[in-house]
Each structure stands twice: as structure tokens, then as C-alpha cells.
């Protein structure tokens, strides 16, 4: 079955950068929305950045100006470029693909830890 496989997480010092990738292991067509969400320890999962099929993006205020979301439809891949990372960005990051009313797929999560 189709799965979303995440990569790019890890340990980084404050001020550093990471690039997360999320790719479908199988063929998917017509994905309406791709996004990145994160769960900070002790908090609920929150939206980080979302990109529509048109290329329109919606980025959370907490990361605006530092994080950039992009997608490669030919590769069924979504990316999150994270620059100027802060300690408070430490979280498990999840990717999400949505199509129509009955397709909502999540990645396994990847840990991002930012040290001071």
C-alpha cells in the first residue's frame, strides 16, 4: 500500500538548517494538499506549513520567514526547508497528503532536535 516516507530530521544547533523530505512509496495522483505538521512535547499537533496543488502556501506565524514548503508533483514529494532553527522548533514533524474526501495519509514522523 502507499506510504509516506520521511527523511532529513536529526540534531542541529540553533541557527542551523535542515531540509525535510516526504515521498510517497507508491503512485499517487491528484494530491490536493501537502503539508507539514509538528508535535512539540506536551502540546497538540499543529500545522507548520501547507501547500495546495496550485502552489499556494500557508505558513504558521511561528516559522514564517524561516521555513519554506515546496512540492514536486512529478516525484510525489513535499519538502520543508528549515533555516535559522530555534530550540522551540524541537518536535516530531509529520507530513500529510490529502486528496478528496476519503484520502488522508500521514508520514511516520521524524524527530527534529535543536540544541542551544
Amino acid at each position: 500500500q502507499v506510504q509516506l516516507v520521511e527523511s532529513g530530521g536529526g540534531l542541529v544547533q540553533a541557527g542551523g538548517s535542515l531540509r525535510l523530505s516526504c515521498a510517497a512509496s507508491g503512485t499517487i495522483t491528484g494530491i490536493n494538499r501537502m503539508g507539514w505538521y509538528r508535535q512539540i512535547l506536551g502540546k497538540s499537533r499543529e500545522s507548520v506549513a501547507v501547500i495546495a496543488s496550485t502552489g499556494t502556501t500557508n505558513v504558521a506565524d511561528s516559522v514564517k520567514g524561516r521555513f519554506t514548503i515546496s512540492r514536486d508533483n512529478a516525484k510525489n514529494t513535499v519538502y520543508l526547508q528549515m533555516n535559522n532553527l530555534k530550540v522551540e522548533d524541537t518536535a516530531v514533524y509529520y507530513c500529510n497528503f490529502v486528496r478528496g474526501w476519503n484520502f488522508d495519509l500521514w508520514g511516520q514522523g521524524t524527530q527534529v532536535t535543536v540544541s542551544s
Side-chain angles (χ1 to χ4, degrees), residues 10 27-28 32-33 40 42 79-80 83 109:
T27 300
I28 304 177
N32 299 117
R33 186 179 75 237
I40 297 170
Y79 305 94
L80 186 68
N83 296 327

Side-chain angles (χ1 to χ4, degrees), residues 15-46:
S17 298
L18 287 173
R19 182 178 174 87
L20 304 184
S21 298
C22 174
S25 63
T27 300
I28 304 177
T29 60
I31 300 300
N32 299 117
R33 186 179 75 237
M34 298 179 177
W36 289 95
Y37 299 75
R38 69 186 182 186
Q39 187 161 10
I40 297 170
L41 185 63
K43 296 180 171 59
S44 300
R45 192 140 80 188
E46 63 186 31

Side-chain angles (χ1 to χ4, degrees), residues 41-102:
L41 185 63
K43 296 180 171 59
S44 300
R45 192 140 80 188
E46 63 186 31
S47 177
V48 176
V50 175
I51 184 166
S53 59
T54 60
T56 300
T57 62
N58 192 348
V59 182
D61 289 341
S62 59
V63 303
K64 195 168 295 181
R66 299 187 297 118
F67 291 10
T68 303
I69 187 170
S70 60
R71 62 191 283 172
D72 185 334
N73 292 328
K75 296 182 178 179
N76 286 318
T77 301
V78 63
Y79 305 94
L80 186 68
Q81 179 66 46
M82 304 184 292
N83 296 327
N84 192 24
L85 282 159
K86 302 176 179 180
V87 172
E88 50 264 44
D89 294 320
T90 296
V92 178
Y93 286 72
Y94 301 87
C95 60
N96 173 238
F97 286 14
V98 174
R99 184 186 67 200
W101 67 272
N102 65 342

